[in-house]
Amino acid sequence: MTSGLKPAVSQTRPPPQPSFQVGMVLQTVLLDRPAVLRPLYWRSLGGRPAAANRLRLNDAGELVIPAGATASFNTYFNAFFEYQWRLYTSLVTVGLRLQVDGDAWLRVWRRTPHGGSTLLHEQPASGAVNLPLALGAQHFRQGGLLWFDLAAQGRPVTLAYAQWVTSDSPAAEVGLGVVICTFNREAELSAVLARMAGHAALRPVISRVIVVNQGRPDLASHPEFAEAACRLGPRLRVVEQGNLGGAGGFGRGLVEAVDDPAISHVCLLDDDVVLEPDSLLRMGTFFSFARGELAVGGHMLDAVQPTTLYEAGAVVLENGGFKPLNAGLDLRTADALEQLLDSTAMHYNGWWMFGFPKRLIEALGMPLPCFIRGDDIEFGMRLHNRGVFTVPLPGIGIWHKPFYLKIGGWQLYYETRNALICAALHSDFAPPRIAVLMLKQLLIRLLTFRYYNAALVVLALDHFMQGPSILDRDPRPLHAALSDIRDRYPQVWTRRETVLPAASVGPSPRSMAG
């Protein structure tokens, strides 16, 4: 149990802990966030209920902990996921640095993938605290999730800031190039850029922001975009081109990134996400300590249910479908965080936020020009088959509109065709099994009177059978033709009583008099 932070035996101050020279900030503890999101950043523990409910932020964005209350940072964005760091990077030493106004009691905990919490350290905390947790070389399975709790005892305490730090030197310098493909979402895109521009700590990490505009021309004239562009200055590059879909937009951005010597790693980012700016900072820091070639997948949080994890990567199934990992996980609970310590290999991470070293483009080639839907799956499978791990690092995430709000429509053509392409390239492609699968998909649409969707499945199968040449054609006429197919199979409404007779209601049952 982590509630109640009074020392078990006495209030005697322990011998001072040796400080260590901070080489780099690994992760900043984030405090000033909207109320609806605060369970992802900090929470109250135990103590007197009246005091626990009064944790608040002051005007400076610092956390005020009233007397008798405990603030816990065993949360999605503020815990330190040591397990992933020790598994995939050269990191050895970890420390905690914080600034406290008042007299508090500090405890640092670890939780391993096998369950159970261990108290690593406890001490009074007042003023500047620089606490080493230099744990030395150890097996990665001994690592887990690190967090700290801070209790105010006799008087209120203010936490000004806290950081997870290291005395290690990074293995490489990282120049992150953020690539965004946009189509008629000027307001959403401008909000993403504004959050980047307003985060001073990102400036040394982001070398370039490449925006590929495939929608309304003259993006720079949009008032909101112009303001964000002014703040980003020469780091922002805008490329205008016709609508070649998400694959064409991200592909053009990657071409620009490959030719930019300031970029060592790229991060593909959707234009309509709600960005936690520190996610980009943490991605760059993780890459700077990475051991060997690896990619980092940002988690997708549900914008409708903002404390719910929508997806943290996915695995591709034998039937051509895919299974999202940790879908629907409630991130407000401490137990949910333990599930994120699982190192299960995944095949791909969606391109709502996905980073990797630029040199992998030269080694593996460009993503497929498949217009939309499936380029992320195929490229992820290519990385997986090459032995390049995609790390879904908790604490690196964005909020995105969930896909259950986008079901149906012309997307089915691309999902079907591109899934077949991916299966042909990266699985034991058995034509009889694929034929049965496609027949099932077709019959489901026909038997439910969705003739437009059935026509899309047939067209996708026909184009797949034509071979790779379909990807060499201009995708714009093909995309326009999908709307023409809809016109041939319009939705038809049938009165309920013509297909389902009205049910007759029998008499109410009678019971015997008691």
Side-chain angles (χ1 to χ4, degrees):
M1 296 296 291
T2 63
S3 59
L5 285 183
K6 293 181 180 179
V9 179
S10 71
Q11 296 284 344
T12 303
R13 185 180 297 271
Q17 294 294 315
S19 63
F20 70 125
Q21 186 65 37
V22 175
M24 192 170 187
V25 175
L26 298 172
Q27 182 175 308
T28 297
V29 174
L30 307 172
L31 301 175
D32 189 8
R33 292 299 184 265
V36 69
L37 301 178
R38 285 178 191 166
L40 302 180
Y41 296 89
W42 45 267
R43 62 168 65 92
S44 301
L45 276 187
R48 298 193 296 270
N53 291 332
R54 294 201 307 271
L55 263 68
R56 63 179 179 83
L57 296 170
N58 62 20
D59 293 339
E62 302 167 336
L63 183 62
V64 179
I65 308 170
T70 299
S72 177
F73 298 90
N74 184 17
T75 57
Y76 175 78
F77 277 113
N78 282 336
F80 183 74
F81 285 82
E82 175 200 26
Y83 182 79
Q84 281 86 345
W85 278 87
R86 291 196 179 277
L87 180 58
Y88 294 106
T89 76
S90 59
L91 187 72
V92 175
T93 64
V94 180
L96 179 63
R97 181 169 63 180
L98 59 158
Q99 177 69 41
V100 179
D101 275 338
D103 294 322
W105 192 264
L106 170 69
R107 277 184 172 172
V108 181
W109 298 83
R110 171 190 284 133
R111 188 169 189 170
T112 67
H114 311 291
S117 300
T118 303
L119 179 63
L120 297 182
H121 182 79
E122 62 177 349
Q123 71 171 66
S126 181
V129 177
N130 189 15
L131 175 65
L133 299 167
L135 307 171
Q138 62 178 13
H139 194 277
F140 72 89
R141 294 190 186 279
Q142 294 176 263
L145 171 72
L146 298 178
W147 82 91
F148 70 97
D149 296 338
L150 198 63
Q153 300 181 82
R155 308 176 85 177
V157 165
T158 299
L159 176 63
Y161 71 83
Q163 296 169 325
W164 297 100
V165 295
T166 183
S167 60
D168 300 350
S169 298
E173 291 187 7
V174 171
L176 197 61
V178 180
V179 176
I180 303 176
C181 169
T182 188
F183 182 80
N184 294 343
R185 286 191 178 127
E186 294 88 349
E188 294 91 337
L189 170 65
S190 300
V192 173
L193 297 180
R195 290 181 71 83
M196 285 188 212
H199 200 60
L202 275 176
R203 291 170 192 161
V205 178
I206 296 182
S207 300
R208 196 81 64 218
V209 179
I210 302 171
V211 175
V212 181
N213 179 37
Q214 302 187 133
R216 286 179 283 264
D218 198 16
L219 177 63
S221 65
H222 191 277
E224 294 179 64
F225 180 87
E227 180 181 350
C230 181
R231 297 171 67 186
L232 285 170
R235 287 178 298 158
L236 177 65
R237 180 186 302 162
V238 178
V239 179
E240 302 270 354
Q241 69 175 24
N243 182 19
L244 300 177
F250 280 128
R252 176 63 184 276
L254 290 175
V255 170
E256 299 287 333
V258 166
D259 293 334
D260 192 329
I263 296 175
S264 65
H265 295 69
V266 292
C267 176
L268 307 180
L269 192 67
D270 270 349
D271 61 349
D272 59 342
V273 301
V274 176
L275 177 67
E276 171 53 75
D278 263 70
S279 292
L280 289 171
L281 185 58
R282 295 174 184 185
M283 178 181 286
T285 304
F286 194 82
F287 279 135
S288 71
F289 285 94
R291 189 171 54 241
E293 304 280 17
L294 57 82
V296 173
H299 290 184
M300 176 178 160
L301 279 67
D302 190 331
V304 175
Q305 306 172 80
T307 58
T308 300
L309 180 61
Y310 185 84
E311 182 179 321
V315 294
V316 178
L317 305 176
E318 291 185 358
N319 63 3
F322 59 90
K323 177 185 178 182
L325 300 177
N326 289 310
L329 197 62
D330 184 355
L331 297 176
R332 293 172 297 180
T333 65
D335 288 343
L337 303 183
E338 184 181 329
Q339 297 185 46
L340 300 179
L341 295 173
D342 186 6
S343 59
T344 300
M346 66 183 194
H347 289 133
Y348 77 96
N349 192 93
W351 286 359
W352 48 77
M353 188 180 193
F354 178 68
F356 57 92
K358 182 178 73 173
R359 57 183 173 268
L360 288 178
I361 292 292
E362 301 167 359
L364 301 179
M366 292 286 291
L368 288 183
C370 56
F371 194 76
I372 197 171
R373 299 291 177 90
D375 46 349
D376 51 357
I377 299 176
E378 191 282 325
F379 191 73
M381 290 291 291
R382 219 186 300 173
L383 292 174
H384 177 78
N385 293 339
R386 169 85 175 216
V388 177
F389 287 100
T390 296
V391 182
L393 185 61
I396 295 180
I398 50 85
W399 288 269
H400 193 285
K401 183 181 294 185
F403 297 141
Y404 56 73
L405 298 181
K406 300 181 178 182
I407 295 175
W410 49 263
Q411 294 95 332
L412 179 62
Y413 164 81
Y414 294 106
E415 292 168 356
T416 304
R417 186 198 68 180
N418 297 342
L420 289 169
I421 293 172
C422 187
L425 291 172
H426 300 293
S427 69
D428 296 329
F429 191 82
R433 182 169 58 86
I434 296 297
V436 171
L437 177 64
M438 288 296 99
L439 179 61
K440 288 180 179 178
Q441 294 296 320
L442 180 60
L443 288 175
I444 288 172
R445 271 79 186 186
L446 290 174
L447 294 175
T448 53
F449 310 108
R450 291 178 287 170
Y451 299 119
Y452 173 53
N453 288 347
L456 292 177
V457 171
V458 171
L459 183 64
L461 185 57
D462 176 49
H463 284 175
F464 169 73
M465 295 297 292
Q466 294 179 31
S469 63
I470 190 66
L471 299 181
D472 294 331
R473 304 175 192 173
D474 186 341
R476 288 168 288 190
L478 187 153
H479 186 65
L482 299 182
S483 297
D484 297 337
I485 297 175
R486 178 187 290 275
D487 295 337
R488 300 206 318 256
Y489 300 100
Q491 284 188 330
V492 178
W493 298 95
T494 304
R495 294 184 64 84
R496 179 188 179 98
E497 55 268 21
T498 63
V499 294
L500 186 66
S504 58
V505 180
S508 300
R510 300 179 61 184
S511 60
M512 297 178 62

